[in-house]
CSV table of all heavy atoms in Angstrom, one decimal:
chain,number,residue,atom,x,y,z
A,185,ASN,N,0.8,-1.2,0.0
A,185,ASN,CA,0.0,0.0,0.0
A,185,ASN,C,0.8,1.3,0.0
A,185,ASN,O,0.3,2.4,-0.1
A,185,ASN,CB,-0.9,0.0,1.2
A,185,ASN,CG,-2.1,-0.9,1.1
A,185,ASN,OD1,-2.4,-1.4,0.1
A,185,ASN,ND2,-2.8,-1.1,2.2
A,186,TRP,N,2.1,1.1,0.1
A,186,TRP,CA,3.0,2.3,0.3
A,186,TRP,C,3.8,2.7,-0.9
A,186,TRP,O,4.3,1.8,-1.6
A,186,TRP,CB,4.0,2.0,1.4
A,186,TRP,CG,3.4,1.6,2.7
A,186,TRP,CD1,2.1,1.7,3.1
A,186,TRP,CD2,4.1,0.7,3.7
A,186,TRP,NE1,2.0,1.1,4.4
A,186,TRP,CE2,3.2,0.5,4.7
A,186,TRP,CE3,5.4,0.2,3.8
A,186,TRP,CZ2,3.5,-0.3,5.8
A,186,TRP,CZ3,5.7,-0.5,4.9
A,186,TRP,CH2,4.8,-0.8,5.9
A,187,GLY,N,4.0,4.0,-1.1
A,187,GLY,CA,5.0,4.5,-1.9
A,187,GLY,C,6.4,4.3,-1.2
A,187,GLY,O,6.4,4.4,0.0
A,188,MET,N,7.4,3.9,-1.9
A,188,MET,CA,8.7,3.7,-1.3
A,188,MET,C,9.8,4.7,-2.0
A,188,MET,O,9.8,4.9,-3.2
A,188,MET,CB,9.2,2.3,-1.5
A,188,MET,CG,8.3,1.2,-0.8
A,188,MET,SD,8.3,1.5,1.0
A,188,MET,CE,10.0,1.2,1.4
A,189,GLY,N,10.6,5.1,-1.1
A,189,GLY,CA,11.7,6.0,-1.6
A,189,GLY,C,13.1,5.6,-1.1
A,189,GLY,O,13.2,4.9,-0.1
A,190,TRP,N,14.0,6.1,-1.9
A,190,TRP,CA,15.5,6.0,-1.4
A,190,TRP,C,16.0,7.5,-1.3
A,190,TRP,O,15.8,8.3,-2.2
A,190,TRP,CB,16.3,5.3,-2.4
A,190,TRP,CG,16.1,3.8,-2.5
A,190,TRP,CD1,15.3,3.1,-3.2
A,190,TRP,CD2,16.7,2.9,-1.6
A,190,TRP,NE1,15.4,1.7,-2.9
A,190,TRP,CE2,16.2,1.6,-1.9
A,190,TRP,CE3,17.7,3.0,-0.5
A,190,TRP,CZ2,16.7,0.4,-1.3
A,190,TRP,CZ3,18.1,1.8,0.1
A,190,TRP,CH2,17.6,0.6,-0.2
A,191,PHE,N,16.7,7.7,-0.2
A,191,PHE,CA,17.4,9.0,0.0
A,191,PHE,C,18.8,8.7,0.3
A,191,PHE,O,19.2,7.5,0.6
A,191,PHE,CB,16.7,9.7,1.2
A,191,PHE,CG,15.3,10.3,0.9
A,191,PHE,CD1,14.2,9.5,0.9
A,191,PHE,CD2,15.2,11.7,0.7
A,191,PHE,CE1,13.0,10.0,0.6
A,191,PHE,CE2,14.0,12.2,0.4
A,191,PHE,CZ,12.8,11.3,0.4
A,192,ARG,N,19.6,9.7,0.3
A,192,ARG,CA,21.0,9.5,0.7
A,192,ARG,C,21.5,10.8,1.5
A,192,ARG,O,21.0,11.9,1.3
A,192,ARG,CB,21.9,9.3,-0.5
A,192,ARG,CG,22.0,10.4,-1.5
A,192,ARG,CD,22.8,9.9,-2.7
A,192,ARG,NE,22.9,11.0,-3.7
A,192,ARG,CZ,23.4,10.8,-4.9
A,192,ARG,NH1,23.8,9.6,-5.3
A,192,ARG,NH2,23.6,11.8,-5.7
A,193,GLN,N,22.5,10.6,2.3
A,193,GLN,CA,23.1,11.7,3.1
A,193,GLN,C,24.6,11.5,3.1
A,193,GLN,O,25.1,10.5,3.7
A,193,GLN,CB,22.4,11.7,4.4
A,193,GLN,CG,22.8,13.0,5.2
A,193,GLN,CD,22.0,13.2,6.4
A,193,GLN,OE1,21.3,12.3,6.9
A,193,GLN,NE2,22.0,14.4,7.0
A,194,ALA,N,25.3,12.5,2.6
A,194,ALA,CA,26.7,12.5,2.7
A,194,ALA,C,27.1,13.3,3.9
A,194,ALA,O,26.3,14.1,4.4
A,194,ALA,CB,27.3,13.1,1.4
A,195,PRO,N,28.4,13.1,4.4
A,195,PRO,CA,28.8,13.8,5.6
A,195,PRO,C,28.6,15.3,5.4
A,195,PRO,O,29.0,15.9,4.4
A,195,PRO,CB,30.3,13.4,5.6
A,195,PRO,CG,30.4,12.1,5.0
A,195,PRO,CD,29.4,12.2,3.9
A,196,GLU,N,28.1,16.0,6.4
A,196,GLU,CA,27.9,17.4,6.5
A,196,GLU,C,27.0,17.9,5.4
A,196,GLU,O,27.0,19.2,5.1
A,196,GLU,CB,29.3,18.1,6.5
A,196,GLU,CG,30.2,17.7,7.6
A,196,GLU,CD,31.5,18.4,7.6
A,196,GLU,OE1,31.7,19.3,6.7
A,196,GLU,OE2,32.3,18.3,8.5
A,197,LYS,N,26.2,17.1,4.8
A,197,LYS,CA,25.2,17.5,3.8
A,197,LYS,C,23.8,17.1,4.3
A,197,LYS,O,23.6,16.2,5.1
A,197,LYS,CB,25.5,16.9,2.5
A,197,LYS,CG,26.8,17.5,1.8
A,197,LYS,CD,26.9,17.1,0.4
A,197,LYS,CE,28.1,17.7,-0.3
A,197,LYS,NZ,28.2,17.3,-1.7
A,198,GLU,N,22.8,17.7,3.7
A,198,GLU,CA,21.4,17.4,4.0
A,198,GLU,C,21.0,16.1,3.3
A,198,GLU,O,21.6,15.7,2.3
A,198,GLU,CB,20.5,18.5,3.6
A,198,GLU,CG,20.7,19.8,4.4
A,198,GLU,CD,19.6,20.8,4.1
A,198,GLU,OE1,18.8,20.6,3.2
A,198,GLU,OE2,19.5,21.9,4.8
A,199,ARG,N,20.1,15.4,3.9
A,199,ARG,CA,19.5,14.2,3.2
A,199,ARG,C,18.8,14.6,2.0
A,199,ARG,O,18.0,15.6,1.9
A,199,ARG,CB,18.6,13.5,4.2
A,199,ARG,CG,18.2,12.1,3.7
A,199,ARG,CD,17.4,11.4,4.9
A,199,ARG,NE,18.3,11.2,6.0
A,199,ARG,CZ,18.0,10.4,7.1
A,199,ARG,NH1,16.9,9.7,7.1
A,199,ARG,NH2,18.8,10.3,8.0
A,200,GLU,N,19.1,13.9,0.9
A,200,GLU,CA,18.6,14.3,-0.4
A,200,GLU,C,17.9,13.1,-1.0
A,200,GLU,O,18.2,11.9,-0.8
A,200,GLU,CB,19.7,14.8,-1.4
A,200,GLU,CG,20.7,13.8,-1.8
A,200,GLU,CD,21.8,14.4,-2.7
A,200,GLU,OE1,21.9,15.6,-2.7
A,200,GLU,OE2,22.4,13.6,-3.4
A,201,PHE,N,16.8,13.4,-1.8
A,201,PHE,CA,16.0,12.5,-2.6
A,201,PHE,C,16.9,11.8,-3.6
A,201,PHE,O,17.7,12.4,-4.3
A,201,PHE,CB,14.8,13.2,-3.2
A,201,PHE,CG,14.0,12.3,-4.1
A,201,PHE,CD1,13.1,11.4,-3.6
A,201,PHE,CD2,14.2,12.4,-5.4
A,201,PHE,CE1,12.4,10.6,-4.5
A,201,PHE,CE2,13.4,11.7,-6.3
A,201,PHE,CZ,12.5,10.7,-5.9
A,202,VAL,N,16.7,10.5,-3.8
A,202,VAL,CA,17.3,9.7,-4.9
A,202,VAL,C,16.3,9.2,-5.8
A,202,VAL,O,16.4,9.5,-7.1
A,202,VAL,CB,18.2,8.6,-4.3
A,202,VAL,CG1,18.8,7.8,-5.5
A,202,VAL,CG2,19.3,9.1,-3.4
A,203,SER,N,15.3,8.5,-5.3
A,203,SER,CA,14.3,7.8,-6.2
A,203,SER,C,13.1,7.4,-5.4
A,203,SER,O,13.2,7.3,-4.2
A,203,SER,CB,15.0,6.6,-6.9
A,203,SER,OG,14.1,6.0,-7.8
A,204,ALA,N,12.0,7.2,-6.1
A,204,ALA,CA,10.8,6.7,-5.5
A,204,ALA,C,10.0,5.9,-6.5
A,204,ALA,O,10.1,6.1,-7.7
A,204,ALA,CB,10.0,7.9,-4.9
A,205,ILE,N,9.1,5.0,-5.9
A,205,ILE,CA,8.3,4.2,-6.8
A,205,ILE,C,7.0,4.1,-6.1
A,205,ILE,O,6.8,4.1,-4.9
A,205,ILE,CB,9.0,2.8,-6.9
A,205,ILE,CG1,8.3,1.9,-8.0
A,205,ILE,CG2,9.1,2.1,-5.6
A,205,ILE,CD1,9.1,0.7,-8.3
A,206,ASN,N,5.9,4.0,-7.0
A,206,ASN,CA,4.6,3.9,-6.4
A,206,ASN,C,4.3,2.5,-5.9
A,206,ASN,O,5.1,1.6,-6.1
A,206,ASN,CB,3.5,4.4,-7.4
A,206,ASN,CG,3.3,3.5,-8.6
A,206,ASN,OD1,4.0,2.5,-8.7
A,206,ASN,ND2,2.4,3.9,-9.5
A,207,ARG,N,3.1,2.3,-5.3
A,207,ARG,CA,2.9,1.1,-4.6
A,207,ARG,C,2.8,-0.2,-5.5
A,207,ARG,O,3.0,-1.2,-5.0
A,207,ARG,CB,1.6,1.2,-3.8
A,207,ARG,CG,0.3,1.5,-4.5
A,207,ARG,CD,-0.9,1.7,-3.6
A,207,ARG,NE,-2.1,2.0,-4.3
A,207,ARG,CZ,-2.4,3.2,-4.7
A,207,ARG,NH1,-1.7,4.3,-4.4
A,207,ARG,NH2,-3.6,3.4,-5.3
A,208,ILE,N,2.5,0.0,-6.8
A,208,ILE,CA,2.4,-1.1,-7.6
A,208,ILE,C,3.5,-1.2,-8.6
A,208,ILE,O,3.6,-2.1,-9.4
A,208,ILE,CB,1.0,-1.1,-8.4
A,208,ILE,CG1,0.9,0.2,-9.3
A,208,ILE,CG2,-0.1,-1.3,-7.5
A,208,ILE,CD1,-0.3,0.2,-10.2
A,209,GLY,N,4.5,-0.3,-8.5
A,209,GLY,CA,5.7,-0.4,-9.3
A,209,GLY,C,5.5,0.1,-10.7
A,209,GLY,O,6.3,-0.2,-11.6
A,210,SER,N,4.4,0.9,-11.0
A,210,SER,CA,4.1,1.3,-12.4
A,210,SER,C,4.7,2.7,-12.6
A,210,SER,O,4.6,3.1,-13.8
A,210,SER,CB,2.6,1.3,-12.6
A,210,SER,OG,2.0,2.2,-11.8
A,211,TYR,N,5.2,3.4,-11.6
A,211,TYR,CA,5.7,4.8,-11.8
A,211,TYR,C,6.9,5.0,-10.9
A,211,TYR,O,6.9,4.6,-9.8
A,211,TYR,CB,4.6,5.8,-11.5
A,211,TYR,CG,5.0,7.2,-11.7
A,211,TYR,CD1,5.1,7.8,-12.9
A,211,TYR,CD2,5.3,8.0,-10.5
A,211,TYR,CE1,5.5,9.1,-13.0
A,211,TYR,CE2,5.7,9.3,-10.7
A,211,TYR,CZ,5.8,9.9,-11.9
A,211,TYR,OH,6.2,11.2,-12.1
A,212,GLU,N,7.9,5.6,-11.5
A,212,GLU,CA,9.1,5.9,-10.8
A,212,GLU,C,9.6,7.3,-11.1
A,212,GLU,O,9.2,7.9,-12.1
A,212,GLU,CB,10.2,5.0,-11.3
A,212,GLU,CG,9.9,3.5,-11.3
A,212,GLU,CD,10.7,2.7,-12.4
A,212,GLU,OE1,11.8,3.2,-12.8
A,212,GLU,OE2,10.2,1.6,-12.8
A,213,THR,N,10.3,7.8,-10.1
A,213,THR,CA,10.9,9.1,-10.3
A,213,THR,C,12.4,9.1,-9.7
A,213,THR,O,12.6,8.4,-8.8
A,213,THR,CB,10.0,10.2,-9.7
A,213,THR,OG1,10.6,11.5,-10.0
A,213,THR,CG2,9.9,10.1,-8.2
A,214,TYR,N,13.2,10.0,-10.3
A,214,TYR,CA,14.6,10.0,-9.9
A,214,TYR,C,15.1,11.5,-9.8
A,214,TYR,O,14.6,12.3,-10.5
A,214,TYR,CB,15.5,9.3,-11.0
A,214,TYR,CG,15.1,7.8,-11.2
A,214,TYR,CD1,14.2,7.4,-12.1
A,214,TYR,CD2,15.7,6.9,-10.4
A,214,TYR,CE1,13.8,6.1,-12.3
A,214,TYR,CE2,15.4,5.5,-10.6
A,214,TYR,CZ,14.5,5.1,-11.5
A,214,TYR,OH,14.1,3.8,-11.8
A,215,ARG,N,16.1,11.7,-9.0
A,215,ARG,CA,16.8,12.9,-9.1
A,215,ARG,C,17.6,12.9,-10.4
A,215,ARG,O,18.1,11.9,-10.9
A,215,ARG,CB,17.7,13.2,-7.9
A,215,ARG,CG,19.0,12.3,-7.8
A,215,ARG,CD,19.8,12.6,-6.6
A,215,ARG,NE,20.3,14.0,-6.6
A,215,ARG,CZ,19.8,15.0,-5.8
A,215,ARG,NH1,18.8,14.8,-5.0
A,215,ARG,NH2,20.3,16.2,-5.9
A,216,ASP,N,17.9,14.1,-10.9
A,216,ASP,CA,18.5,14.2,-12.2
A,216,ASP,C,19.9,13.5,-12.3
A,216,ASP,O,20.3,12.9,-13.3
A,216,ASP,CB,18.7,15.7,-12.6
A,216,ASP,CG,17.3,16.3,-13.0
A,216,ASP,OD1,16.4,15.6,-13.2
A,216,ASP,OD2,17.3,17.6,-13.1
A,217,SER,N,20.7,13.7,-11.2
A,217,SER,CA,22.1,13.2,-11.3
A,217,SER,C,22.2,11.7,-11.3
A,217,SER,O,23.3,11.2,-11.6
A,217,SER,CB,22.9,13.7,-10.1
A,217,SER,OG,22.3,13.3,-8.8
A,218,VAL,N,21.1,10.9,-11.1
A,218,VAL,CA,21.2,9.5,-11.1
A,218,VAL,C,20.4,8.9,-12.3
A,218,VAL,O,20.4,7.7,-12.5
A,218,VAL,CB,20.7,8.8,-9.8
A,218,VAL,CG1,21.5,9.4,-8.6
A,218,VAL,CG2,19.2,9.0,-9.6
């Protein structure tokens, strides 16, 4: 039932969005650099 996301955090930096996928896996989104 959940959307799932991946984030990352480098030392001394804020946590940033990487990617996310909807609950059935039919839609994805990514940050530009990946």
Side-chain angles (χ1 to χ4, degrees):
N185 285 349
W186 309 335
M188 296 297 298
W190 286 97
F191 288 76
R192 65 188 182 187
Q193 189 167 17
E196 301 183 358
K197 292 189 176 181
E198 292 187 354
R199 191 167 297 190
E200 65 182 20
F201 172 79
V202 176
S203 181
I205 189 168
N206 70 358
R207 59 185 180 272
I208 59 174
S210 63
Y211 180 75
E212 308 154 22
T213 185
Y214 300 89
R215 71 178 298 106
D216 286 346
S217 62
V218 307

